[in-house]
């Protein structure tokens, strides 16, 4: 988009582009980001547990503008290189002119978010898929299959499918061709750089064969974190997380604010029942524990929900508002159209205060090289995660939609029918076509 300004004494905005977080960013005649002089942040008073707003001065120097511009170009280039760049949505037609069945299809999609779906409804295993999995005769083959099916791809290092689970019982790399990948991941998997770096190097380590690292961190990209956690349980029946989720209520109480999960009595009952009767396969794996999955499992504001909450600050703020009674979790069984719309309004009202805007790059009082570089690495990693996130979501951590938001998308002809979480994992675009052909 192009525009022209006649503001005297100010740089003219001659072009507007999007940044990785979906914000409109104004560029000057030299193509540099026009930095904002201040931003308003929502902060929390620990003593009173209440939120308050504060105006923070930003660094608007020419040096920082060029730094932010370089970062804007880097992150947008990462998004352009996404393996899902060619993904093409199929939109419902609310006029029903192209397909009279769309109204019924949409209604069944929407109804998933108003009541708990039946078991085996979300990303179900097909009969052919189960038969294929059961035919796999080695632990590594099953490990590879579960990782591929999960839709998880490493954001920090390229891992070929053949390198997945590529270690023997003694932890030695099986294929010497991939030794450098294993070395780099092993060197970085215990990083303390940030929560996001911990999560991403942990996912890489889990993909390669160390499932205990899969859920080693979780912040912001909640669906990705929960998908990694479920995958960890599938790969290892003795995992700490599987034992912990037997006590679902206490687990949620401790981790809801960073994982976007909520208390659900039905889910707790199902987990306890499945924990008692489910038996791991002969390799100690639990492939079918995901059959109780519901759409309320996790709330992630990063995909199709109007925000990119890469550091979890927005979901944390919303949970604080829920706790003090200022808003209501839209997934609660007693939620209403009015309460859900109030929650949506809380999201929209809070978005301008997120720390995710290239034109508000760094606060003036902390603007120094090391802080700029730390922030740059966070934004680049957030872009890499966004680039490898399947457009149809993760099979074991489906995107939660507020029903009224689905209504708006549908009526505007902007709802992608391929986002329906009941589509089996093997029919999603993140699933390799060659493997799908083999199964079928």
């Amino acid at each position: 988009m192009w525009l022209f300004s006649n503001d005297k004494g100010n740089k003219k905005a001659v072009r507007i582009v999007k940044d990785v977080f979906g914000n409109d960013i104004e560029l000057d005649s030299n193509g540099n980001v026009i930095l904002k002089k201040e931003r308003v942040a929502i902060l929390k008073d620990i003593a009173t547990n209440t939120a308050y707003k504060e105006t923070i001065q930003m660094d608007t120097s020419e040096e920082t503008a060029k730094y932010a511009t370089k970062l804007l170009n880097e992150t947008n280039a990462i998004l352009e290189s996404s393996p899902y760049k060619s993904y093409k949505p199929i939109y419902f037609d609310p006029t029903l002119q192209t397909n009279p069945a769309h109204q019924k299809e949409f209604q069944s999609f929407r109804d998933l978010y108003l009541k708990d779906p039946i078991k085996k409804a979300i990303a179900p295993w097909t009969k052919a898929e189960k038969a294929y999995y059961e035919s796999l005769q080695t632990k590594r083959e099953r490990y590879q299959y579960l990782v591929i099916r999960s839709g998880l791809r490493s954001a920090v290092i390229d891992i070929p499918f053949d390198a997945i689970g590529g270690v023997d019982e003694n932890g030695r790399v099986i294929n010497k061709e991939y030794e450098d990948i294993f070395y780099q991941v092993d060197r970085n998997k215990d990083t303390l750089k940030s929560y996001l770096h911990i999560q991403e190097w942990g996912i890489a380590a889990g993909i390669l064969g160390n499932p205990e690292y899969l859920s080693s961190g979780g912040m912001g990209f909640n669906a990705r974190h929960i998908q990694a956690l479920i995958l960890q349980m599938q790969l290892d029946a003795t995992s700490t997380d599987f034992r912990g989720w037997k006590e679902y209520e206490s687990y949620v109480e401790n981790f809801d604010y960073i994982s976007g999960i909520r208390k659900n009595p039905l889910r707790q009952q199902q987990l306890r029942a499945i924990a008692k009767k489910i038996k791991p396969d002969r390799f100690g794996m639990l492939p079918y524990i995901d059959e109780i999955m519901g759409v309320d499992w996790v709330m992630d504001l990063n995909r199709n929900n109007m925000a990119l909450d890469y550091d979890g600050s927005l979901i944390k703020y919303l949970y604080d508002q829920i706790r003090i009674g200022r808003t209501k979790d839209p997934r609660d069984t007693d939620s209403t159209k009015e309460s859900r719309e109030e929650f949506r309004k809380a999201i929209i009202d809070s978005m301008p205060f997120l720390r995710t805007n290239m034109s508000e790059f760094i606060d003036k009082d902390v603007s120094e090289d090391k802080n700029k570089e730390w922030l740059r690495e966070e934004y680049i990693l957030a872009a890499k995660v966004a680039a490898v996130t399947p457009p149809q979501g993760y099979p074991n951590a489906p995107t939660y939609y507020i029903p009224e938001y689905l209504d708006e998308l549908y009526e505007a002809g902007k709802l992608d029918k391929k986002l329906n979480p009941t589509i089996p994992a093997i029919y999603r675009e993140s699933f390799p076509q060659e493997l799908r052909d083999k199964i079928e």
Side-chain angles (χ1 to χ4, degrees), residues 145-283:
Y145 186 78
L146 290 172
V147 170
I148 292 171
R149 186 185 194 276
S150 75
L152 287 172
R153 304 292 180 263
S154 173
V156 289
I157 190 169
D158 184 41
I159 299 177
F161 285 151
D162 190 46
I164 295 172
V167 292
D168 61 22
E169 292 181 356
N170 297 312
R172 290 189 293 262
V173 179
I174 295 170
N175 189 333
K176 301 297 182 184
E177 181 184 349
Y178 303 127
E179 276 190 335
D180 186 56
I181 295 174
F182 282 81
Y183 171 73
Q184 288 190 56
V185 173
D186 188 60
R187 185 178 60 187
N188 287 282
K189 71 180 187 302
D190 293 310
T191 178
L192 298 176
K193 187 176 287 187
S194 74
Y195 282 110
L196 189 55
H197 280 82
I198 290 171
Q199 172 175 291
E200 290 311 312
W201 283 107
I203 286 175
I207 289 172
L208 290 174
N210 288 318
E212 66 270 22
Y213 281 93
L214 276 166
S215 61
S216 57
M219 192 173 188
F221 289 102
N222 291 328
R224 186 170 173 82
H225 169 59
I226 295 300
Q227 172 61 74
L229 184 143
I230 299 297
L231 177 61
Q232 180 189 33
M233 297 180 198
Q234 289 177 306
L235 294 170
D236 181 10
T238 65
S239 72
T240 302
D241 278 306
F242 180 58
R243 296 197 303 271
W245 276 52
K246 292 179 187 179
E247 299 301 324
Y248 178 78
E249 187 170 339
S250 61
Y251 191 94
V252 173
E253 187 69 35
N254 291 328
F255 293 102
D256 60 357
Y257 73 93
I258 60 171
S259 297
I261 55 180
R262 76 171 182 97
K263 289 183 180 180
N264 182 331
L266 174 62
R267 192 76 64 244
Q268 181 180 2
Q269 183 182 0
Q270 289 176 330
L271 274 165
R272 285 176 175 169
I274 201 171
K276 287 180 181 178
K277 71 178 183 180
I278 195 168
K279 301 295 181 185
D281 64 18
R282 63 184 183 277
F283 300 112

Side-chain angles (χ1 to χ4, degrees), residues 91-92 106 109-111 113-114 299-308 330 336-345 347-348 351 399-416 419:
Y91 295 113
F92 283 109
F106 164 68
F109 183 173
R110 185 187 190 276
D111 286 349
Y113 299 88
L114 292 174
M299 187 182 293
D300 186 334
L301 300 173
N302 291 289
R303 304 296 298 178
N304 308 299
N305 276 303
M306 306 173 292
L308 185 55
T336 62
K337 177 181 178 181
E338 290 71 27
S339 68
R340 291 192 295 269
E341 289 180 340
E342 284 178 8
F343 186 85
R344 273 193 69 200
K345 185 176 185 301
I347 295 176
I348 295 168
M351 280 172 57
T399 301
Y400 173 77
Y401 292 97
I402 294 172
E404 287 70 25
Y405 180 49
L406 287 179
D407 290 338
E408 289 182 14
L409 290 175
Y410 174 75
E411 290 164 9
K414 296 179 179 179
L415 179 59
D416 180 7
L419 299 180

Side-chain angles (χ1 to χ4, degrees), residues 121-126 129 149 395 420-428 431:
I122 303 302
W125 288 73
T126 66
E129 185 188 8
R149 186 185 194 276
N420 190 323
T422 63
I423 296 173
I426 68 167
Y427 296 130
R428 301 186 184 199
F431 200 91

Side-chain angles (χ1 to χ4, degrees), residues 88 116 154 200 209 245 332 334 435:
K88 289 182 173 57
D116 288 305
S154 173
E200 290 311 312
W245 276 52
D332 288 347
D334 60 347
L435 182 55

